[in-house]
Structures are given as C-alpha cells and as structure tokens.
Amino acid sequence: MVSELKVYKDTFANWDTIIFAIVYHDMIYDTLKSNNEERSAEIASTRLKKISFPEKETNFCRQLILATKKHE
C-alpha cells in the first residue's frame, strides 16, 4: 500500500498519519471477530499517544482505520 501511495506523498499534508494508518489497519485480524478495526484503532491510538503524536492526527489515524471496516 505504501509503495502505491508514495507517488502521491506530496499531496498529503499528514503523510506520517497515513503511514501509521496503513501499518495499524490490520494489526488485529481475526476472521471470527467483527471488531478487528476497532481493536486495531485502539492499539494505534495507545501507541501513538505513547510517542506524543499529535492528538488531532491520532484521531484522524483512528478514523482511517475504522473506515477500512466498510472499505470507505
């Protein structure tokens, strides 16, 4: 995913957030569960807070991960 998006890197104001969302979007992947995205988003939020990533960007990362649930 990153290599596909890299050609558009300069069009993103928040490239780091995009990368974090890509990395974390399937952190939890259990085919028997329906809350994978929520759990992945929670892990991302927790870890991003630990590194003092900006709250606004952490929330956006969370939104991006949750959007993958319905492929939005």
Side-chain angles (χ1 to χ4, degrees), residues 24-30 33-44 61-71:
Y24 282 102
H25 88 279
D26 272 341
M27 182 64 63
I28 303 295
Y29 190 80
D30 183 344
K33 302 281 184 171
S34 63
N35 66 344
N36 294 312
E37 292 79 5
E38 291 85 350
R39 292 174 59 207
S40 293
E42 188 58 38
I43 290 170
C61 180
R62 184 178 186 82
Q63 290 173 353
L64 291 172
I65 293 169
L66 293 174
T68 66
K69 186 169 191 135
K70 295 182 180 178
H71 303 281

Side-chain angles (χ1 to χ4, degrees), residues 10-48:
D10 294 336
T11 65
F12 292 100
N14 43 12
W15 181 246
D16 292 340
T17 305
I18 301 299
I19 296 300
F20 283 130
I22 290 169
V23 169
Y24 282 102
H25 88 279
D26 272 341
M27 182 64 63
I28 303 295
Y29 190 80
D30 183 344
T31 57
L32 302 176
K33 302 281 184 171
S34 63
N35 66 344
N36 294 312
E37 292 79 5
E38 291 85 350
R39 292 174 59 207
S40 293
E42 188 58 38
I43 290 170
S45 293
T46 300
R47 290 182 179 178
L48 292 175

Side-chain angles (χ1 to χ4, degrees), residues 48-49 52-61:
L48 292 175
K49 286 176 188 175
S52 300
F53 199 64
E55 185 177 353
K56 179 180 175 185
E57 293 301 313
T58 298
N59 291 335
F60 183 49
C61 180

